[in-house]
Amino acid sequence: MNRRPASLAVRLTASIGVVITAVLLVFGWTVERSISNHFVQQDVDELNAVVRTLRHALATIPPSIPPDALRERLANAVSGHHNAQFQISTSDGEVIYATSGPSLSQLEKGVRPVKTVTTDNVSVWRVNGETLRAAVVQVPSAVGPDAEPLTIVVATSIDFHLHYLERFHTNLWMLTAIVCLAAIFATWLAVLQGHAPIRRISREIRKIRTDQLHVRLDLQTVPAELTELVAAFNDMIGRLEALFQRLSDFSGDIAHELRTPITNLKTQTEVALSQPRDLEQYREILYSNLEEYDRMAKMVSDMLFLAQADNQLLKPEFATVDLNAEIQDLFDYFSAWAEEREVGLDLTGKPVRIQGDRLMIRRTLSNLLSNAIRYTPSGHRVTVNLTTADHQASVQVRNPGPIIPEEHLSRIFDRFYRLDASRQRSGEGAGLGLAIAKSIIEAHGGRIGAQSTTGATIFELSLPLVPCGDSQSPGGFVHQFNHFEPDRPET
């Protein structure tokens, strides 16, 4: 089971809190380190001052000075350095002078002598519970036999500094913790306030019901960061509104289309049962009912076909289709109907072959031709033109007739859509033919469209050509069909 992600407020507050805490910790460590280094440098300066004073005193002391006078002179030399401790000894370890306090002899044995005290060579030494910062320095002197170099162990107590740093450390981290908590709380409040537009948008979205799909969120009232989200939501609501409208129209259309045959069946059955009839009359009523059943069965079949198309379940069986041959067969099929309406059929262009499902392509062309014949005035001709360009085959079905208004052209491929508001068209099908044609063409990766100008309406579809290998004949043709064998047209 997947865990639910933490809220944006928690994640953002935690992230900012971690950053603030890290910054404050680094800042506190830097301050503490800086103070500690300052104390070290201060102690080093103190030790160097003592060493310089002792160096000067030793350089000016006469070799024959008595020991008591020597000790008094050395003690007076550093009288201004109250916190300093030192010990002077010869190279063989004999102590010439040592200040009162802890013994520095062990430090002399454990630390290598240097010429100058620096922060890099100073040592921290703990003697008798006291912490010292010390160094061992060798200096020349006339004191002692043969004026041998002397060793000076110089030290200063740092307990005061350590206690100060300990208190500063405690106070600093307590202050850091308080500041971090305050910063995290302030961040949480800021994030909560920053998310207020999201909560407001959520409240507005909750108010939208199925009967309010026309409502749109105002892009001018949201922060720039949420503009893209709100625009995407408005687009989604627009699609849902169109889908709901389409579903509503579809429900009304299908109820209307089914009501007519069902009413006819009910009326004919009631009439048949109203009085006794002979066998031939019952047979005629059953034939009439069968026509209504056929009409409903074809409508249900078409609706199932469109449902498959909506769910991308149409799987064309691709093969090479000769559009010229298919259109000629359809001309023969519609010959009787076209002759009855005094409509001529022309096929122009050059032979074209495409890759597609032959039965689906035939059904599309049949729907387009039947519409063209239906709306062509008597004495005029329907023209089908075949062309190729950019690896696409183009089929144009042109018929003279009334102009289709622009507002209808954009919806002419919608299912059950008809130009007349009454939707009373006996014998003209259920209004699904063009919707089926569009679904088939799109399933083949093609396009279909319509345009209507003064004097003619043109339906044009384009489909991929057969790949190189099946050559197209370069010659063109013009074929006219004026006389047909009688047959019933497919609607």
Side-chain angles (χ1 to χ4, degrees):
M1 182 177 179
N2 295 330
R3 294 181 58 187
R4 183 179 180 180
S7 70
L8 291 177
V10 172
R11 291 160 62 182
L12 189 57
T13 303
S15 301
I16 298 177
V18 168
V19 173
I20 292 176
T21 302
V23 170
L24 290 176
L25 289 176
V26 172
F27 174 76
W29 178 85
T30 303
V31 171
E32 184 176 356
R33 190 69 178 172
S34 176
I35 295 175
S36 177
N37 291 338
H38 171 73
F39 284 156
V40 172
Q41 186 63 51
Q42 189 178 41
D43 293 338
V44 168
D45 293 340
E46 175 73 10
L47 295 177
N48 278 322
V50 173
V51 170
R52 286 193 300 270
T53 300
L54 292 176
R55 191 192 301 269
H56 176 73
L58 292 173
T60 58
I61 293 176
S64 58
I65 188 173
D68 292 339
L70 175 62
R71 285 193 290 271
E72 182 180 358
R73 190 162 182 173
L74 291 175
N76 292 333
V78 295
S79 59
H81 303 276
H82 304 289
N83 197 37
Q85 303 178 39
F86 65 92
Q87 174 183 296
I88 303 176
S89 59
T90 61
S91 58
D92 58 1
E94 180 185 356
V95 177
I96 297 176
Y97 178 81
T99 57
S100 61
S103 174
L104 302 178
S105 299
Q106 293 296 326
L107 180 61
E108 179 183 1
K109 297 176 182 179
V111 178
R112 188 175 64 180
V114 296
K115 293 182 178 181
T116 304
V117 182
T118 65
T119 57
D120 296 328
N121 55 36
V122 71
S123 302
V124 176
W125 196 267
R126 189 168 182 81
V127 180
N128 298 332
E130 184 178 6
T131 306
L132 304 174
R133 183 168 282 116
V136 179
V137 181
Q138 281 189 340
V139 297
S141 176
V143 179
D146 301 328
E148 296 178 352
L150 299 178
T151 300
I152 300 177
V153 180
V154 60
T156 183
S157 177
I158 60 173
D159 286 336
F160 176 78
H161 291 170
L162 294 179
H163 292 159
Y164 176 84
L165 287 174
E166 183 178 356
R167 291 193 302 271
F168 180 81
H169 176 85
T170 301
N171 294 334
L172 178 64
W173 296 125
M174 288 180 59
L175 180 62
T176 300
I178 293 173
V179 172
C180 286
L181 293 176
I184 291 174
F185 180 72
T187 301
W188 181 78
L189 290 179
V191 171
L192 197 64
Q193 183 64 28
H195 287 173
I198 298 179
R199 294 191 294 273
R200 178 177 58 80
I201 292 174
S202 299
R203 290 193 297 269
E204 292 180 5
I205 290 175
R206 290 192 190 97
K207 295 178 182 178
I208 300 177
R209 299 291 185 262
T210 55
D211 58 342
Q212 298 176 323
L213 293 179
H214 62 281
V215 176
R216 299 292 184 270
L217 301 181
D218 188 359
L219 293 176
Q220 303 300 323
T221 61
V222 299
E225 294 79 4
L226 299 179
T227 300
E228 186 175 351
L229 175 64
V230 172
F233 175 79
N234 286 341
D235 290 341
M236 183 190 69
I237 286 294
R239 293 192 296 270
L240 287 176
E241 181 183 17
L243 181 60
F244 269 73
Q245 185 61 43
R246 181 178 174 184
L247 182 61
S248 177
D249 293 343
F250 179 79
S251 300
D253 289 331
I254 195 171
H256 177 85
E257 297 296 337
L258 289 176
R259 181 182 62 183
T260 300
I262 290 175
T263 301
N264 291 340
L265 289 171
K266 182 175 180 296
T267 301
Q268 291 174 4
T269 303
E270 290 174 347
V271 171
L273 294 176
S274 63
Q275 60 182 356
R277 301 177 184 277
D278 57 28
L279 182 60
E280 187 61 29
Q281 289 176 324
Y282 283 124
R283 188 185 299 275
E284 291 179 1
I285 293 173
L286 290 177
Y287 274 122
S288 177
N289 289 350
L290 182 60
E291 291 181 357
E292 299 296 341
Y293 288 133
D294 287 340
R295 179 182 177 186
M296 288 191 293
K298 185 178 185 303
M299 185 189 308
V300 172
S301 176
D302 290 344
M303 290 167 54
L304 290 175
F305 184 90
L306 290 172
Q308 289 180 321
D310 288 342
N311 292 278
Q312 288 78 45
L313 297 178
L314 289 185
K315 303 298 181 183
E317 297 181 0
F318 286 94
T320 300
V321 180
D322 187 343
L323 292 181
N324 180 30
E326 294 298 326
I327 294 173
Q328 291 181 19
D329 290 343
L330 288 173
F331 278 4
D332 291 338
Y333 185 81
F334 288 119
S335 60
W337 186 36
E339 186 175 13
E340 178 183 347
R341 296 180 62 89
E342 299 181 3
V343 173
L345 303 175
D346 295 337
L347 177 60
T348 63
K350 62 181 180 180
V352 175
R353 291 178 181 156
I354 64 169
Q355 285 285 359
D357 188 302
R358 191 184 70 84
L359 293 180
M360 289 187 182
I361 297 298
R362 185 182 181 90
R363 185 174 188 179
T364 299
L365 296 174
S366 173
N367 289 339
L368 295 179
L369 278 174
S370 64
N371 277 337
I373 295 173
R374 178 178 299 116
Y375 293 107
T376 299
S378 299
H380 291 75
R381 311 185 71 81
V382 173
T383 303
V384 180
N385 183 48
L386 302 179
T387 58
T388 60
D390 298 329
H391 306 288
Q392 294 283 318
S394 175
V395 181
Q396 291 184 340
V397 180
R398 181 183 185 278
N399 68 278
I403 298 177
I404 300 177
E406 186 66 30
E407 62 270 18
H408 293 296
L409 280 177
S410 60
R411 299 189 58 192
I412 200 170
F413 292 99
D414 292 350
R415 41 191 91 170
F416 294 114
Y417 187 75
R418 288 173 174 172
L419 302 184
D420 60 327
S422 64
R423 296 188 287 190
Q424 301 287 341
R425 290 189 176 182
S426 176
E428 294 188 4
L432 297 174
L434 292 179
I436 291 175
K438 181 180 180 182
S439 299
I440 291 175
I441 296 304
E442 290 180 348
H444 283 74
R447 301 185 306 275
I448 186 171
Q451 55 181 320
S452 185
T453 58
T454 303
T457 297
I458 300 175
F459 284 86
E460 181 176 4
L461 61 89
S462 60
L463 291 166
L465 285 170
V466 170
C468 294
D470 291 332
S471 60
Q472 306 289 342
S473 173
F477 64 84
V478 176
H479 200 109
Q480 296 185 350
F481 295 80
N482 293 310
H483 303 286
F484 311 97
E485 295 181 3
D487 201 354
R488 180 183 177 184
E490 181 179 350
T491 59

